[in-house]
Amino acid sequence: MSREPLSVSDLLLCLESSELQELERVRTTINQQLSTDRGGAVLSSLVERYLDSSSSQVLLLLSSIREPHHKVLLEKLNEALTRPGNRVAAITLLGHLIRKQPPWVHHISQAPVLPTLLRCLKTDGDVVVLVSAVLVLVALLPMIPQAGKQHIYDFFDVFGRLASWSYRNPGQVSAAYLVHLHAGVYSLFHRLYGMFPCNFVSYLRLHYGMKENLDTFQEVVKPMLEHVRIHPELVTGTQDYELDPSRWRCCEVHDIIMECCRLSLDPLEDACCPAPLPHLDLSPAPQDWQPISSSGSSVGKLTLSSSHIQANDVTWSPSSQCGLATPPPEHASPGPAPSLSRCTSISGVKCPSPDSVPVTTPSEGSHQPAGVLQVRSGVSVKEQLEDGRYLSSQVKQQPIRAQDETSLSQVISSDLSSPDIRLPSSSSQFLLRTSTASCDDSSTDPAPSQIDPSPSLPGPAPPYEPLFELALPHAAMLFIRRKTQDALESAAGQQQQVEEERSSMSPLKVLEQMIVHGSDAHERLSRRSSAGSRLDRSHLGGPAPQGEELQRSQLLLVHSQLQYERFKRQQHAIRNRRLLRRVINATALEEQTVAMKAQLGVQDQEIRSLRSSLSEEQRRLNQLQQDGRTQTDRLLEQNQQLLLQQQRHQQDNQQLQSDLEDCHGRLRELEAELQGANRKAKHAEQQLTQLGLKLCSSEQQQQQVFLLDQQLVLLRETNRALSQQLDEAAAPSWTEEAMLRRSAGNDFQRLKDCDVLQKQKLEAASHRIAELESQLARKDKLILELKKLLEETKSHSRAELSASESRCVALRRVSQTLQTEMLHLYSQVHLDTHTGSDTCTHSPALDAGSRNSPSTQDGYKPRPSSSSAVGIINGAVEALSSSSPLSASPIDSPLAVGSFLEQQARRLFGPNSQSQEEEEEEEEVPAGSPPLGQEVEEATLLTGSPQLEPPAPAADLELSIRQRRDELSIMDYNETLPEF
Amino acid sequence: MADDPQRNFRSAYYEKVGFRGVEEKKSLEILLKDNPLDLEKLSTFSQRFPLPSMYRIHVWKVLLGILPPHSDSHSLVGGYRKEQYQDIVEALEVMRYINSSTPSTHIYLRMFQLESQVLPRCSETLPPNDENEDFLAISRAMEEIVDDSIDCYWLIKCFINQFHIKFGDSLPHLPKSLEHYLSQEEPRLLNHLRSVGALPQLPYSLWFKRCFAGCLPESSLQRVWDKVISGSCKILVFVALEILLSYKIMLMGHTRPEGVVKFLCNIPQENTDAIVTKAIDLWQKYCGNPNHAV
C-alpha cells in the first residue's frame, strides 16, 4: 500500500504521454488497480488528478468506474464541490459522468452530491459554476425523476434564484455570461415545467405573486412561458401524483426528455420534434397560407382542404398506426409513409404521380412545392412552418442583439442581407439536431467546431439519410426534396419576417447567435490581421475587462453548453434509432399489406376468370343438356315406331304360330291314323302266326289221340283180366280188426275223460292250498300282532303293576314304620308298666328272646328281614351276606316272596333264628370284657341301628335294578317270566 | 328319522345358519305321539338336542320310569303315584315326623328315608349327614324346576335312584377324567392347581354327587340334568371343566387351595348359560356321537 500511491501518481503522470501503446498499458494497469482498490485511494488520487489537470485520459478512466466504487467517487466529488477552488472542475467532472449515464447514476439522488450541488446553485456567485451546474442539473433531472419527491423545492428555489440572478445581475458580470446563464435557466425551466407542471406552476404562482419578484417575472419568466404550451397534466394531474416515482417507472431518460420537448414551442429546445398536435398547430397554418393560396395556384386550395381534413381527423395519428409504446408520439419521421397511403385513399391517385410534380418544379418558386408537399403529409408542412418561423425568428433577433452588442449587430445585419450565409446557418442548426459524426471531434475546441462545418454544409447529408433511403425510398426522396426546398424557402422566408414578429426571442437562439457572430467576428478579425493580437479577440466577449481569463471562462461556458447539447443530441439519437426501427417495421408491414393487396387483386382476377369460365361451362352444359333432350325425344319417337312395328310383327307371328299349331294337329291326327293302321296290320300278322301254331298242335293232338285210344283199349283188356282174377280171391278177415280198433278207441276216450277230471281236481287242490297258505300267513301275522299286543299289554300291565307294586312296597314300608313306631310306643308303655326293672336296654332284649313277645324286637327286625327277603328274591345272597348275617335264614321259599301274607308268615318264623342269634350275641356281650369301642361298634352294626343304613338302600337298589332289567327284557320270550 | 317325509326340507339348513331347536320341538312331539313311547329314541333325542321346557318334565318322568311308556296307563299310574305319595305323607304325619310347617324338602327327605327304610326314629333325629345334604340340595333345585309337589317328589326320588344305580360305579373315576380333559384343554391351569394343591380339594361332591345342584342356577342346571337323566354322567365332568376354564384367570390368581375351593363353591351366576352351552359343545366334541356316550 505504501508503494502504490507513488506508483499511481507515476502512472497518472504517464497518462499524459503521447505514445499510444504506453497509454494503453498505463490505462489497463490503472484499471486493474481500480478494480482491486479497497479504500478508494486510487480513485481519490484519480479525482485529484483530474481536478488539477482536467486530463481527458483521467476522465475516460473515471467514467468507466463500476458499481462498488461509485460511492467513493461521489464522496470525493462532494468533497470537491465544497471547496470553491475545485468547484468548476468538479461540476465539469460530474457533468461528464452523468452524461455517460453509468448504471449507478440513480444513486446520485441519495448521494450527498445532489444537495451539495443544489447548495452551490443557491449560494454560488460565479457564473461559470452556475451555468455548468444548472446544465448538469438539467441533464441529471430525467435520470433521477424520483428525486423530485425530496428536492422539488430545491429545484424551484434554484430556478427562482437563477432567474432573478440573471435578471438583476448582482455579480455585475458581462452580458455574454448572462446569455449563457439565461440559456441554462431556460433549459431548467423547460425541464421543470415538463416534469413537474403542477408543482412548478404553483411555485411560479407563489413566487412571482410577490411584488418584489414581479419584474423578474415580466422580464425573464414570462418570455419563457411564451415558449411552452399548456401541459396536459395541469388539467388532469395533481401535485402529489406528479411526485409519485411510479409515474416514471416505465419511462426511459429520453422519454422524459421528449416529454419535456413536446411541450416546448421553441424549435431550439424542441429540437427535431415538432411536438404540437396537428389540430393545435394547424390553426395558424391557414392563417399563414391564406394569402399565398389566394394569390397562388389552385393547388393551394387543394392542400388547404386536405389539411383541413387532416386537422379534423383528430383520432387518427401515425403513432397509433406504428404502434409506439412510449408516450411521446413522433410525428416527423413516421409521418410520410402513412400519409402517403392516406393521400392515395383520398385522391385515388397512385403514389408516383405527385412525386413527379415536385421533381419537375423545384426551382419554380417557393410556395407551390410546399403545397404539393402538404398534400403528401401534414407533418412535413408543419416542419416547414416551423422552419419558416425559425427563419423569421432568426431575422427577428436582430434588434435584440443590436441592443446588446452594437459591434456584432453590424455584422449580423450585413450578414442578413446575403442569403448565402443564412442557408448554411439554418442547415447547421439541422445538423445540430441530427448528426452524430461532425460534433464528436470538436470536444476540445467547441467554438470552431460549430462554425467549421458550415462551409461544407451546402449539401448536408445527415448520417441517417442513407438509412432512410434504404428503409423508406419514398420518405427519403421526400426528405431530400424537402431539404432542398428548405434552402429555397429560407430566401423566401425573409419576406415574411416582418409578419412573423410576434413571439419573443428564445434565449437559446440568442446564445447561438452570439456564438455565431462571435465566430464570424473572430474569423473576420483574424483574416484582417494575420498577426492577430490577443486583444483583438477580446471584442468577442464584449468589453473584455479581464481579457484572457474572461475568454477562458466563456470558453468553459460554451463548452458546458456544448456538452449539454451533445447530451441532448445523444438522447435524441437513441430515440431516433428506436423510432427508425419501428418505422422499418411499419414499412415492412406496409409492404406486406401492399403485397397482400396485390395478391388479393390477383386472386380477385383469378376468381373473376374462374367465374367467367364457370358461366361458360354452365352455358355449354345447358346446350349439351338441350341437345341431349332433343336426341332423347327423337329416340323415344323412333322407339315408339319400333314398338308398333314389333307389335305388328308379333301379331303376324301369333297368326303364323296358330297356323303352325293347326298343321301340327293335323299331322298328329295323321300319325295317329298311321299308327292305328300299323297296329291293325300287326294284329293280323299275330293272328296269322297263332293260327299257324294252333294248326301244328292240333295235328300233334290228333296223333296223341290216336296213341291214347290204343292204350285205352289195351288197358281195358288188362283190367278185365285182373278183375276177373280178384273176384276169384276171398273177403272174411276185416270184421275182427274193426271191433278191436273200436274198443281201443273207446278205451282211449275214456282215459282222456279221466285225465281231464284229474286235472280239474289238481287245480282245485292247488287253489285250496294257496288259500290255506294265505290264511296261514294271515294267521301268523295276526298271531304276531297278537303277540305284540300281548307284549304291549304285558309291558303295559307290568308298568302298571310295577307302579302298584311300588305303591304296595311303599305301603308296606309305611305299615312297617308304623308298626315300628307302634312297637316303640308299646315298649315305652311296657317300660312304664314294669316298675323297678334294672335296665331298659336289657328288658327289651329279654323280651325279644321270648317267643311270646316277638314284637318287642320288631323295631330292629323288619329291615334285616326285608332285606334278606329281597336278597332271596334276587338270588344274590352273597352280595348281602357280608352286610347282613341274617341273610342265611333257612326259610327260602321263592314262591312266597311276593305275597304279603307269606312275608308275615315268614316273619313269624324269622324271629326264631334271629332272636336266637341275638340272644347269643347279647349273651356274648355281657360275657365279654367291658365293651371296647370296637366291639360296641360291631354290636351296633349287628343290631341294625340307624347307622346300619347302607344295606337297606343297597337292597332297594338291587330290587330296582332287577326291575329295570326285567323291563328291558320284555321281548325275551324264552326266558321264564319273572316271579311276580 | 331323516327319511321322514313330514320333515321340513329346510331343517338341514337351519343348523348351518345357526338356528338350533327349530325342528326339535316338532320331532319331539312326533316322538311323544308314539303309543308305547320309545325310551331309546327319547333318550337319544334328549342327549342330542336341548329339550323344550314345556315337555321337559314329561320326558323326564318317562325317562325316569315315573310314567310308563304306554300313554293309556298314564292316568292310572299317575293315580297310583299320587296315592302312594299321599299314603306316605299321611303316615309321616301320623308318626309326627312332619307337620304343616315342615319345609317341603325335608318332607321329601323323610319320605325318601321312609321308602328306603332308613328313617330314623323321631327321638333319634340326627343332623343331616352328607348324603342327606346331597338329597336336600337336589330336592331344592328340583323344587324350583317342578311346581307340583307329587311330581317333584317322584322326580327327586327316581333321579337319585337312577343316578346311583347307573353311575354309582363311575362316580369315583370322574375326578381322574376331569384331570385328563383339563390337561388336554389347559395344562397350565392343571399345573397351577396341582402346584397350589387345590386339585384334590376341588368340590367334587358338589359337582358330581349333587350334579351341580346349588352351584348352577336352575335354568342352566336343567339342561345339564337333561343329559344326566338321558344317560350320561360325563357331562358333569365337562361342566366342571368348563367352569374351571371360564374362571381360569381368577383361579390362576389364587395361590391357596382354600381360596380356589371357596371361589368354585360360589361361582358367579351370570354367564352360566354360556358355560353350559360350551360344556355341551365340549362334551359332544370329546365324546363324539352322544348316542354312545355314557
Side-chain angles (χ1 to χ4, degrees):
Chain A
M1 283 300 283
S2 59
R3 193 178 53 84
E4 273 197 357
L6 280 173
S7 69
V8 166
S9 55
D10 289 346
L11 285 169
L12 290 175
L13 282 174
C14 291
L15 269 177
E16 302 305 316
S17 75
S18 54
E19 273 185 56
L20 280 175
Q21 286 181 347
E22 175 81 8
L23 198 64
E24 190 65 30
R25 193 180 55 78
V26 168
R27 208 181 289 159
T28 50
T29 39
I30 290 175
N31 268 331
Q32 277 176 359
Q33 281 184 359
L34 268 177
S35 62
T36 56
D37 194 14
R38 291 292 163 100
V42 178
L43 191 66
S44 50
S45 64
L46 270 176
V47 173
E48 290 296 333
R49 172 78 183 167
Y50 177 80
L51 293 178
D52 288 345
S53 66
S54 308
S55 160
S56 62
Q57 297 296 329
V58 175
L59 183 65
L60 268 176
L61 282 170
L62 282 175
S63 58
S64 61
I65 288 286
R66 298 270 164 70
E67 183 84 33
H69 302 293
H70 72 275
K71 278 182 190 164
V72 181
L73 180 59
L74 289 176
E75 273 170 26
K76 201 73 194 164
L77 277 173
N78 188 28
E79 242 172 67
L81 276 176
T82 50
R83 277 176 286 169
N86 289 332
R87 205 167 272 170
V88 176
I91 290 170
T92 317
L93 177 59
L94 183 63
H96 276 299
L97 291 174
I98 285 166
R99 280 189 283 271
K100 287 276 181 185
Q101 288 198 45
W104 44 265
V105 75
H106 60 278
H107 288 299
I108 291 179
S109 63
Q110 275 98 39
V113 175
L114 184 61
T116 313
L117 183 70
L118 291 169
R119 207 180 315 128
C120 285
L121 280 167
K122 282 185 209 166
T123 56
D124 209 303
D126 191 2
V127 180
V128 180
V129 171
L130 285 177
V131 170
S132 36
V134 81
L135 287 178
V136 165
L137 182 64
V138 170
L140 185 63
L141 268 176
M143 297 177 198
I144 48 168
Q146 72 274 15
K149 191 112 182 163
Q150 305 156 16
H151 301 293
I152 181 88
Y153 289 104
D154 290 334
F155 300 153
F156 294 159
D157 286 344
V158 166
F159 174 77
R161 177 178 182 248
L162 293 184
S164 68
W165 210 89
S166 68
Y167 172 65
R168 283 172 190 154
N169 195 3
Q172 297 301 318
V173 294
S174 73
Y177 290 168
L178 284 183
V179 170
H180 280 284
L181 182 63
H182 200 197
V185 173
Y186 183 66
S187 295
L188 182 63
F189 169 80
H190 272 290
R191 185 68 75 240
L192 288 173
Y193 180 73
M195 285 175 75
F196 313 108
C198 293
N199 282 298
F200 189 54
V201 166
S202 76
Y203 166 78
L204 289 180
R205 202 178 290 152
L206 253 174
H207 192 254
Y208 295 105
M210 288 184 282
K211 280 262 169 63
E212 64 265 26
N213 295 328
L214 201 61
D215 50 346
T216 314
F217 179 73
Q218 282 293 336
E219 290 302 319
V220 181
V221 183
K222 200 179 166 194
M224 289 182 186
L225 282 172
E226 283 174 5
H227 285 283
V228 291
R229 73 179 93 258
I230 189 162
H231 198 297
E233 285 287 325
L234 284 173
V235 181
T236 59
T238 63
Q239 294 191 7
D240 293 335
Y241 171 68
E242 269 173 13
L243 300 177
D244 190 5
S246 64
R247 182 183 164 212
W248 310 103
R249 199 159 284 160
C250 57
C251 295
E252 288 177 38
V253 174
H254 61 87
D255 285 329
I256 296 169
I257 292 173
M258 274 307 143
E259 181 81 14
C260 297
C261 290
R262 220 157 58 101
L263 295 162
S264 175
L265 290 169
D266 186 1
L268 290 181
E269 181 65 37
D270 201 8
C272 67
C273 171
L277 292 167
H279 62 284
L280 283 174
D281 199 34
L282 271 178
S283 51
Q287 222 180 10
D288 288 345
W289 288 103
Q290 204 86 42
I292 300 163
S293 59
S294 61
S295 66
S297 63
S298 62
V299 183
K301 282 175 188 174
L302 202 146
T303 62
L304 203 69
S305 63
S306 75
S307 72
H308 269 304
I309 289 165
Q310 198 175 348
N312 293 337
D313 191 5
V314 181
T315 52
W316 180 86
S317 85
S319 68
S320 69
Q321 285 223 337
C322 289
L324 281 180
T326 45
E330 188 64 38
H331 292 283
S333 332
S339 71
L340 206 68
S341 63
R342 274 183 67 81
C343 279
T344 54
S345 66
I346 291 167
S347 61
V349 190
K350 296 222 167 181
C351 301
S353 58
D355 267 345
S356 60
V357 176
V359 169
T360 50
T361 61
S363 58
E364 267 182 26
S366 54
H367 298 297
Q368 278 193 346
V372 172
L373 265 176
Q374 203 179 9
V375 168
R376 292 199 204 107
S377 78
V379 182
S380 61
V381 170
K382 270 174 259 154
E383 220 162 273
Q384 274 187 328
L385 285 176
E386 281 157 15
D387 283 345
R389 203 188 306 149
Y390 154 62
L391 288 171
S392 66
S393 68
Q394 234 176 357
V395 176
K396 196 182 61 186
Q397 68 160 349
Q398 187 195 7
I400 302 165
R401 292 299 304 251
Q403 284 171 6
D404 288 345
E405 301 172 30
T406 49
S407 61
L408 273 177
S409 68
Q410 290 171 355
V411 180
I412 291 163
S413 58
S414 64
D415 283 343
L416 277 173
S417 58
S418 64
D420 295 336
I421 298 169
R422 291 309 314 153
L423 182 64
S425 72
S426 75
S427 44
S428 82
Q429 176 62 33
F430 193 82
L431 184 80
L432 261 178
R433 283 181 266 153
T434 53
S435 78
T436 53
S438 57
C439 286
D440 276 342
D441 306 332
S442 60
S443 58
T444 48
D445 45 354
S449 77
Q450 273 212 308
I451 300 163
D452 277 345
S454 57
S456 65
L457 271 175
Y464 290 128
E465 285 179 24
L467 286 174
F468 270 120
E469 206 153 355
L470 278 174
L472 309 159
H474 296 305
M477 283 172 75
L478 279 174
F479 187 76
I480 292 164
R481 210 161 295 136
R482 192 188 67 199
K483 288 193 69 181
T484 53
Q485 280 160 14
D486 283 349
L488 291 169
E489 205 178 0
S490 59
Q494 289 175 9
Q495 300 167 2
Q496 299 174 358
Q497 57 182 315
V498 188
E499 297 152 17
E500 297 285 328
E501 199 173 1
R502 50 186 176 86
S503 66
S504 62
M505 183 71 177
S506 164
L508 290 175
K509 183 61 67 184
V510 174
L511 179 62
E512 191 189 324
Q513 287 299 316
M514 190 184 84
I515 292 165
V516 167
H517 295 304
S519 75
D520 280 349
H522 169 74
E523 210 169 308
R524 209 166 295 170
L525 278 176
S526 60
R527 214 179 296 155
R528 217 175 286 163
S529 58
S530 56
S533 70
R534 285 176 172 229
L535 277 171
D536 291 339
R537 298 179 99 182
S538 66
H539 76 278
L540 195 75
Q546 283 90 22
E548 199 169 346
E549 181 62 32
L550 182 71
Q551 285 209 343
R552 189 173 293 148
S553 59
Q554 219 169 350
L555 197 64
L556 265 173
L557 287 176
V558 169
H559 186 202
S560 60
Q561 184 73 30
L562 173 70
Q563 292 290 338
Y564 172 63
E565 288 296 338
R566 193 196 287 171
F567 166 69
K568 270 179 28 177
R569 195 252 312 145
Q570 279 173 355
Q571 294 302 319
H572 284 303
I574 293 168
R575 185 169 178 79
N576 285 345
R577 276 196 286 273
R578 206 168 71 172
L579 292 173
L580 179 65
R581 196 182 65 238
R582 292 205 179 130
V583 166
I584 289 166
N585 284 344
T587 317
L589 283 170
E590 191 76 23
E591 278 175 6
Q592 209 176 342
T593 315
V594 169
M596 295 290 265
K597 262 181 194 160
Q599 253 182 328
L600 195 68
V602 169
Q603 281 174 350
D604 268 344
Q605 190 71 29
E606 208 174 328
I607 287 168
R608 221 171 296 132
S609 67
L610 282 172
R611 221 169 257 164
S612 66
S613 68
L614 177 71
S615 63
E616 174 68 20
E617 286 296 325
Q618 275 176 346
R619 195 184 52 74
R620 264 166 56 188
L621 180 70
N622 277 339
Q623 200 175 352
L624 282 172
Q625 275 178 348
Q626 216 164 359
D627 286 357
R629 223 173 288 137
T630 52
Q631 203 156 4
T632 313
D633 288 347
R634 213 173 53 232
L635 284 172
L636 277 173
E637 212 172 317
Q638 223 169 347
N639 198 14
Q640 273 182 346
Q641 280 179 357
L642 285 171
L643 274 174
L644 280 172
Q645 270 184 343
Q646 197 203 1
Q647 277 179 356
R648 244 191 340 263
H649 282 305
Q650 272 181 348
Q651 279 175 359
D652 288 352
N653 204 7
Q654 276 178 355
Q655 206 172 349
L656 284 171
Q657 269 188 345
S658 64
D659 285 354
L660 187 66
E661 275 176 22
D662 285 353
C663 287
H664 274 303
R666 245 175 291 152
L667 192 65
R668 230 172 280 133
E669 279 172 30
L670 287 172
E671 268 180 7
E673 275 178 45
L674 180 66
Q675 276 182 353
N678 276 346
R679 205 172 55 224
K680 273 179 197 166
K682 278 259 177 67
H683 194 64
E685 209 173 327
Q686 221 168 1
Q687 275 181 336
L688 196 65
T689 49
Q690 276 176 354
L691 285 174
L693 281 174
K694 275 179 188 171
L695 190 68
C696 276
S697 63
S698 66
E699 274 173 12
Q700 279 175 354
Q701 276 171 351
Q702 272 177 352
Q703 283 176 356
Q704 273 181 346
V705 167
F706 182 69
L707 273 174
L708 284 172
D709 275 344
Q710 280 181 337
Q711 275 181 351
L712 194 63
V713 172
L714 198 71
L715 280 171
R716 203 177 291 155
E717 285 304 312
T718 319
N719 195 22
R720 201 179 296 154
L722 281 172
S723 57
Q724 273 175 354
Q725 274 181 349
L726 207 68
D727 283 342
E728 281 168 12
S733 66
W734 65 276
T735 50
E736 197 181 350
E737 197 183 315
M739 279 173 66
L740 276 173
R741 196 172 291 164
R742 201 174 298 140
S743 69
N746 283 341
D747 280 351
F748 180 70
Q749 197 65 37
R750 206 179 54 240
L751 283 171
K752 223 181 231 175
D753 288 348
C754 192
D755 184 42
V756 167
L757 202 70
Q758 289 290 333
K759 262 181 193 163
Q760 279 175 347
K761 275 183 184 170
L762 187 65
E763 241 171 71
S766 63
H767 193 68
R768 175 97 182 124
I769 285 166
E771 217 170 65
L772 285 172
E773 270 175 354
S774 70
Q775 262 186 342
L776 187 66
R778 214 161 47 230
K779 204 177 280 174
D780 279 349
K781 221 161 78 182
L782 210 64
I783 287 164
L784 271 178
E785 277 174 15
L786 282 171
K787 260 187 192 167
K788 217 164 102 184
L789 196 67
L790 185 65
E791 288 303 327
E792 276 180 20
T793 324
K794 214 192 278 177
S795 65
H796 182 184
S797 58
R798 193 177 298 147
E800 286 179 13
L801 195 63
S802 70
S804 61
E805 181 73 18
S806 76
R807 195 184 153 210
C808 284
V809 169
L811 279 175
R812 203 170 62 200
R813 300 270 189 279
V814 169
S815 63
Q816 279 174 357
T817 319
L818 285 172
Q819 282 172 359
T820 315
E821 196 67 28
M822 207 162 65
L823 285 175
H824 186 68
L825 291 174
Y826 276 144
S827 71
Q828 279 184 345
V829 171
H830 273 281
L831 275 177
D832 291 342
T833 51
H834 282 270
T835 51
S837 65
D838 39 7
T839 52
C840 62
T841 51
H842 275 277
S843 58
L846 289 171
D847 288 339
S850 67
R851 206 170 181 175
N852 297 332
S853 62
S855 57
T856 48
Q857 279 297 339
D858 255 1
Y860 299 102
K861 208 176 118 190
R863 249 161 291 157
S865 73
S866 81
S867 69
S868 71
V870 170
I872 289 155
I873 289 162
N874 296 335
V877 183
E878 60 279 356
L880 299 171
S881 59
S882 64
S883 61
S884 84
L886 304 179
S887 60
S889 78
I891 308 112
D892 286 347
S893 60
L895 291 172
V897 168
S899 70
F900 185 68
L901 289 174
E902 192 58 38
Q903 236 176 3
Q904 291 294 339
R906 198 164 51 81
R907 202 179 296 150
L908 289 178
F909 292 113
N912 260 338
S913 59
Q914 194 185 8
S915 59
Q916 279 168 359
E917 281 177 10
E918 277 184 358
E919 273 171 2
E920 284 169 13
E921 283 170 8
E922 273 171 339
E923 278 167 10
E924 277 173 17
V925 169
S929 59
L932 292 168
Q934 191 183 355
E935 283 177 353
V936 169
E937 214 172 275
E938 273 184 358
T940 53
L941 266 170
L942 290 170
T943 47
S945 63
Q947 277 86 0
L948 200 70
E949 278 171 5
D956 215 330
L957 286 179
E958 279 297 316
L959 177 66
S960 59
I961 285 168
R962 185 74 187 198
Q963 279 177 344
R964 193 86 190 146
R965 197 181 294 156
D966 293 341
E967 278 169 18
L968 291 175
S969 62
I970 286 165
M971 302 303 281
D972 194 2
Y973 299 111
N974 297 333
E975 206 179 69
T976 53
L977 284 173
E979 299 79 31
F980 357 79
Chain B
M1 219 159 70
D3 304 327
D4 193 342
Q6 287 183 339
R7 269 192 69 131
N8 191 346
F9 69 92
R10 300 178 197 87
S11 57
Y13 307 105
Y14 282 143
E15 215 155 315
K16 265 188 188 170
V17 294
F19 298 135
R20 301 170 96 183
V22 175
E23 286 295 296
E24 288 152 15
K25 195 175 159 189
K26 203 175 260 182
S27 20
L28 182 63
E29 280 169 0
I30 292 166
L31 275 182
L32 289 176
K33 267 183 201 161
D34 291 346
N35 189 3
L37 294 168
D38 194 336
L39 292 178
E40 290 279 335
K41 278 184 181 172
L42 268 181
S43 61
T44 307
F45 180 88
S46 171
Q47 294 233 325
R48 196 176 287 172
F49 309 109
L51 286 176
S53 52
M54 61 182 295
Y55 293 116
R56 177 171 279 122
I57 305 302
H58 188 68
V59 173
W60 280 9
K61 276 155 102 178
V62 172
L63 285 178
L64 290 173
I66 299 165
L67 289 176
H70 292 274
S71 46
D72 308 334
S73 50
H74 278 180
S75 57
L76 180 71
V77 173
Y80 286 157
R81 301 301 187 202
K82 190 179 172 187
E83 284 168 17
Q84 184 176 343
Y85 175 81
Q86 283 168 350
D87 288 342
I88 296 170
V89 170
E90 276 168 21
L92 283 173
E93 275 175 359
V94 166
M95 286 186 279
R96 298 184 193 166
Y97 276 98
I98 56 172
N99 50 35
S100 56
S101 64
T102 316
S104 53
T105 49
H106 281 83
I107 297 174
Y108 300 146
L109 178 64
R110 293 298 172 205
M111 288 169 72
F112 184 71
Q113 283 177 338
L114 190 147
E115 288 211 74
S116 321
Q117 296 183 312
V118 290
L119 189 67
R121 293 241 187 91
C122 261
S123 51
E124 294 170 2
T125 44
L126 297 166
N129 55 10
D130 285 347
E131 215 163 323
N132 294 344
E133 281 298 330
D134 293 347
F135 182 90
L136 284 176
I138 290 173
S139 59
R140 269 194 291 275
M142 195 63 93
E143 198 177 25
E144 291 292 326
I145 298 168
V146 189
D147 298 331
D148 187 21
S149 57
I150 301 164
D151 285 344
C152 182
Y153 169 66
W154 277 103
L155 283 170
I156 295 163
K157 181 189 158 192
C158 295
F159 177 71
I160 289 173
N161 282 341
Q162 196 204 41
F163 187 70
H164 279 292
I165 292 159
K166 270 190 166 176
F167 314 125
D169 298 337
S170 45
L171 273 182
H173 306 299
L174 293 184
K176 285 274 174 223
S177 143
L178 175 65
E179 261 178 62
H180 169 69
Y181 289 122
L182 189 60
S183 73
Q184 283 192 349
E185 286 288 319
E186 190 62 48
R188 280 176 53 229
L189 183 60
L190 179 67
N191 288 335
H192 173 76
L193 291 175
R194 201 172 267 157
S195 65
V196 165
L199 199 61
Q201 298 188 27
L202 292 178
Y204 292 126
S205 72
L206 172 67
W207 290 344
F208 301 142
K209 288 193 178 162
R210 298 188 187 177
C211 300
F212 295 97
C215 177
L216 299 173
E218 280 70 29
S219 57
S220 318
L221 191 64
Q222 55 195 7
R223 289 169 58 201
V224 179
W225 283 6
D226 281 343
K227 312 297 175 193
V228 176
I229 288 168
S230 60
S232 168
C233 68
K234 269 279 167 65
I235 183 69
L236 299 176
V237 177
F238 286 100
V239 173
L241 177 65
E242 195 56 46
I243 286 173
L244 289 180
L245 291 177
S246 300
Y247 299 108
K248 180 178 73 182
I249 298 164
M250 275 82 123
L251 292 176
M252 296 291 265
H254 288 289
T255 50
R256 293 174 55 78
E258 292 82 12
V260 173
V261 173
K262 195 179 168 193
F263 176 78
L264 285 177
C265 288
N266 300 297
I267 60 167
Q269 308 277 302
E270 286 94 49
N271 53 346
T272 50
D273 265 331
I275 289 174
V276 170
T277 309
K278 278 193 213 162
I280 289 169
D281 290 342
L282 212 60
W283 169 62
Q284 290 183 344
K285 174 186 151 196
Y286 274 105
C287 297
N289 192 352
N291 274 334
H292 309 298
V294 176

